[in-house]
């Protein structure tokens, strides 16, 4: 089976891309846990964090900090963002390709977060969700573009 993140990296699959460089692609999760749920995906097919070259691993948190800043500037996760790596199949890693989740949080959002955990892969309200993702992507790209 083909890796979905490799297909996105090779532009064989669409994605709400926010940023790219030689080592990473930053995109919105199409099954978000919360609004503006961002993924930092390694361009290299690396199932585990240990499979990334050290130089790439060292850049991961720097890029995460930059993306967290953009999320906060856009009004997402102003007081909290979960950074999450599911490292291997026993850790609930759905795609065996290294990716870091940035999940913006709000006060009192735990019930909604838990509900999303249960239903996130169901095709409920996909059109509305797709429109929301498009708006989030445009907003974040604008902020990231101002950094350059």
């Amino acid at each position: 089976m083909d890796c979905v993140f490799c297909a996105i990296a090779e532009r064989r699959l669409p994605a709400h891309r926010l940023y790219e460089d030689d080592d990473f692609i930053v995109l919105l999760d199409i099954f978000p846990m919360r609004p503006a749920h961002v993924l930092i995906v390694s361009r290299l097919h690396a199932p585990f964090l240990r499979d990334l070259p050290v130089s790439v691993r060292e850049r991961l948190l720097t890029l995460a900090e930059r993306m967290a800043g953009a999320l906060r500037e856009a009004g997402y996760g102003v007081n909290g963002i979960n950074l999450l790596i599911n490292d291997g199949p026993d850790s609930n890693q759905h795609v065996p390709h290294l990716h870091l989740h940035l999940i913006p949080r709000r006060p009192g959002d735990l019930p909604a977060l838990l509900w999303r955990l249960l239903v996130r892969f169901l095709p409920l309200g996909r059109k509305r969700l797709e429109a929301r993702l498009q708006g989030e992507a445009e907003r974040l790209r604008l902020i990231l573009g101002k950094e350059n």
Side-chain angles (χ1 to χ4, degrees), residues 27-106:
L27 51 108
L28 290 175
D29 192 315
I30 62 167
F31 298 107
M33 293 296 295
R34 300 294 303 134
H37 177 165
V38 169
L39 300 177
I40 299 177
V41 179
S42 165
R43 282 190 179 277
L44 175 69
H45 183 80
F48 293 90
L49 182 60
R50 69 177 180 244
D51 297 330
L52 283 181
V54 173
S55 62
V56 175
R57 262 184 295 179
E58 288 173 349
R59 292 196 53 247
L60 183 59
L61 279 183
T62 302
L63 182 55
E65 182 179 16
R66 178 179 177 199
M67 292 304 122
L71 285 167
R72 288 187 171 105
E73 186 175 333
Y76 302 106
V78 173
N79 292 315
I81 297 172
N82 289 120
L83 277 70
L84 172 69
I85 294 176
N86 296 321
D87 197 32
D90 290 344
S91 68
N92 202 36
Q93 183 185 36
H94 295 280
V95 180
H97 183 121
L98 192 280
H99 55 288
L100 169 67
H101 297 259
L102 281 80
I103 306 170
R105 300 295 303 278
R106 287 205 129 116

Side-chain angles (χ1 to χ4, degrees), residues 10-21:
E10 295 165 3
R11 296 194 178 272
R12 291 184 286 120
L13 283 178
H16 294 283
R17 294 167 183 266
L18 306 176
Y19 169 85
E20 317 184 38
D21 62 28

